[in-house]
Amino acid sequence: MKRLFLILMLLASPLTAVQPDEILDDPVLESRARELSKGLRCLVCRNESIDESNASLARDLRILLRDRLVAGDTDEEAVGFIVSRYGEYVLLNPPIGGANWILWGAGPFMLLLAGGLGAVYLRGRSRAAAPQDAGLSDDEAARLREILNK
């Protein structure tokens, strides 16, 4: 029972990939670094923050971020330095502006476009004349009688 409880407690705890040798001595700087690293994307894992990733590039980014904070950079300057090196893709939540408008607006635009095309299709289909049952021509009726009489 104790083992089960211990396993459940380990599974319930938040997992971070920060190694003990990366942790800063100053708890204030360390908490700032942790908070900032939660908003930076691991370029290897793609949808994980560098705080959660075990990739070596994520480790390098964590160390770089901590070095910038120790050097006296503000939060914005430290993140800006990393963004200037790796681009806005490194941000897990990129700002809305510039070329990102296209990315932010593409989803709703495509949804509206698909809804509009679907409405036009359904409206055109409801207005279309129902196919008329013209029946068989004289030649077709004669051929059918011939086939059935065999």
Side-chain angles (χ1 to χ4, degrees), residues 57-74:
L57 181 59
R59 176 182 164 80
D60 293 343
L61 286 172
R62 287 191 302 264
I63 291 171
L64 177 63
L65 178 67
R66 282 168 170 75
D67 287 346
R68 299 301 299 184
L69 292 176
V70 168
D73 285 0
T74 64

Side-chain angles (χ1 to χ4, degrees), residues 27-40:
V28 174
L29 281 179
E30 180 60 28
S31 66
R32 281 178 55 202
R34 287 285 177 100
E35 200 58 39
L36 291 176
S37 65
K38 289 178 185 174
L40 295 174

Side-chain angles (χ1 to χ4, degrees), residues 124-132:
R125 189 173 163 160
S126 68
R127 289 185 176 182
Q132 300 296 328

Side-chain angles (χ1 to χ4, degrees), residues 34-147:
R34 287 285 177 100
E35 200 58 39
L36 291 176
S37 65
K38 289 178 185 174
L40 295 174
R41 177 190 321 269
C42 173
L43 299 172
V44 175
C45 306
R46 302 249 164 89
N47 214 20
E48 254 185 354
S49 70
I50 62 172
D51 198 43
E52 300 166 339
S53 176
N54 285 322
S56 62
L57 181 59
R59 176 182 164 80
D60 293 343
L61 286 172
R62 287 191 302 264
I63 291 171
L64 177 63
L65 178 67
R66 282 168 170 75
D67 287 346
R68 299 301 299 184
L69 292 176
V70 168
D73 285 0
T74 64
D75 293 353
E76 293 79 22
E77 290 172 340
V79 171
F81 179 79
I82 293 175
V83 169
S84 69
R85 279 187 152 188
Y86 296 99
E88 284 188 347
Y89 182 73
V90 78
L91 298 173
L92 275 173
N93 192 13
I96 299 175
N100 288 338
W101 276 110
I102 296 169
L103 296 175
W104 284 101
F109 173 74
M110 294 302 235
L111 180 66
L112 291 174
L113 180 67
L117 289 174
V120 167
Y121 173 76
L122 291 175
R123 187 172 182 154
R125 189 173 163 160
S126 68
R127 289 185 176 182
Q132 300 296 328
D133 190 11
L136 296 176
S137 67
D138 292 335
D139 292 338
E140 292 170 337
R143 177 73 179 137
L144 181 61
R145 280 192 298 276
E146 182 185 322
I147 292 173

